[in-house]
Amino acid sequence: MRIATTIFLTDETITPVRLARELEQRGFAGLYLPEHTHIPVSRDTPYPAGGELPDEYGRTLDPFVALGQAAAVTERLALGTGITLIAQHDPIDLAKQAATLDHLSGGRLTLGIGYGWNVEEAADHGVQWSTRRALGSERLALMRALWADEPTAYDGEFESVRASHAYPKPVQKPRGPVNGPRTLIGGAAGPKLFARIAQEADGWLPIGGRGLSESVPKLRTAWEEAGRDPKQLQVVPYAVQPSPGKLAYYADLGVDEVVLQLPPAEEAEVLRALDAYAAYL
């Protein structure tokens, strides 16, 4: 099982360069970074985990800039977003960012995408909350039109782009309905999410990994009904606090990658966490 990590990198934590070097030297498989552009002070949306929203949410580094630094000082470390709030991005710009990072890293990018939980943050980006998932799907489709080998137009309800020359192209070749970087969709289990995963992605990025014994078979059914190869479905439990029993449980479900949560802390504390996680490598 590949053991990757995630962390809220901020202006107060270990740096991307230092962390990426340590991860690769120690044999970890990857680094995934979350995203929040800003956290409005006046906010009615509750924090999904309950209680007060941790300070690091409002201090998060831009994941593509930070992963670019990580790519420059490593050769094998996988680089991922966990997650990119796709409805909050201009898709033409995001397509260029993602393709550039994938190209420069030699195809190491995983684009983890999701639809967010913070209504006020999304509203500041001009996102209407009720249509954010449909908007996100169209933005992903537009990005894939720009990533196509030949100039390809896209015309949807929310988004459109002319047939264009757009380089660099992502490294990974098309598979099924998917082209571009390896793409995982985050979100809570349910038929609508599973249908989107089957139609648009390489797999699922479930936060915490709870309830997978019930949800993974349902995802597999949706995947196969969409005509996808059962062997290609990827389920990657995300932001996990590990234990030997938990990882064995994931393995029994066919999971071959898990993303462990690191503390949003200075270098010494993060390195102690990596020392503790070394037992799972």
Side-chain angles (χ1 to χ4, degrees):
M1 182 178 290
R2 299 190 304 278
I3 305 296
T5 61
T6 185
I7 182 175
F8 277 87
L9 286 179
T10 77
D11 56 321
E12 297 180 327
T13 67
I14 188 173
T15 67
V17 166
R18 185 77 176 97
L19 177 57
R21 283 175 169 157
E22 286 287 338
L23 289 171
E24 184 158 276
Q25 289 171 4
R26 292 163 180 257
F28 287 89
L31 172 62
Y32 290 72
L33 298 181
E35 172 184 61
H36 283 283
T37 53
H38 65 300
I39 299 294
V41 174
S42 176
R43 179 174 54 85
D44 294 326
T45 310
Y47 174 42
E52 293 296 320
L53 184 69
D55 290 343
E56 59 264 22
Y57 278 73
R59 308 189 75 106
T60 306
L61 302 184
D62 179 278
F64 289 95
V65 175
L67 289 171
Q69 283 199 331
V73 298
T74 57
E75 296 180 352
R76 301 176 304 279
L77 189 72
L79 311 163
T81 59
I83 56 170
T84 295
L85 297 165
I86 192 168
Q88 296 181 186
H89 285 267
D90 178 296
I92 299 174
D93 286 343
L94 184 58
K96 176 69 76 173
Q97 285 178 288
T100 299
L101 179 55
D102 196 52
H103 168 74
L104 292 177
S105 68
R108 288 188 275 155
L109 177 63
T110 291
L111 185 64
I113 62 173
Y115 311 106
W117 59 268
N118 191 326
V119 176
E120 291 79 13
E121 178 185 358
D124 284 346
H125 286 277
V127 175
Q128 183 176 343
W129 193 248
S130 62
T131 60
R132 73 192 188 283
R133 290 183 174 85
L135 175 62
S137 290
E138 286 205 5
R139 290 186 168 174
L140 181 59
L142 184 152
M143 292 163 63
R144 288 177 169 161
L146 292 173
W147 293 335
D149 289 337
E150 299 296 330
T152 302
Y154 178 79
D155 189 14
E157 178 182 355
F158 302 101
E159 300 288 351
S160 64
V161 70
R162 297 171 176 84
S164 303
H165 298 292
Y167 290 85
K169 301 298 184 184
V171 173
Q172 191 165 351
K173 300 304 180 184
R175 57 272 177 208
V178 178
N179 71 313
R182 178 192 189 215
T183 302
L184 303 174
I185 299 180
K192 291 183 179 179
L193 179 74
F194 290 169
R196 288 190 187 277
I197 291 170
Q199 294 162 8
E200 302 174 0
D202 295 296
W204 184 28
L205 199 64
I207 295 177
R210 293 183 179 178
L212 293 185
S213 60
E214 295 181 3
S215 55
V216 167
K218 295 176 182 178
L219 173 57
R220 286 194 176 119
T221 296
W223 184 269
E224 293 178 24
E225 287 177 349
R228 304 290 299 274
D229 183 346
K231 296 179 181 179
Q232 292 184 348
L233 174 61
Q234 301 173 47
V235 177
V236 182
Y238 187 78
V240 169
Q241 298 293 336
S243 69
K246 188 181 294 185
L247 297 189
Y249 162 70
Y250 294 153
D252 288 343
L253 291 172
V255 168
D256 60 15
E257 180 183 3
V258 63
V259 183
L260 307 186
Q261 181 71 60
L262 292 169
E266 294 182 350
E267 182 174 314
E269 184 175 347
V270 172
L271 295 185
R272 284 195 295 271
L274 292 181
D275 290 339
Y277 288 168
Y280 301 105
L281 294 176

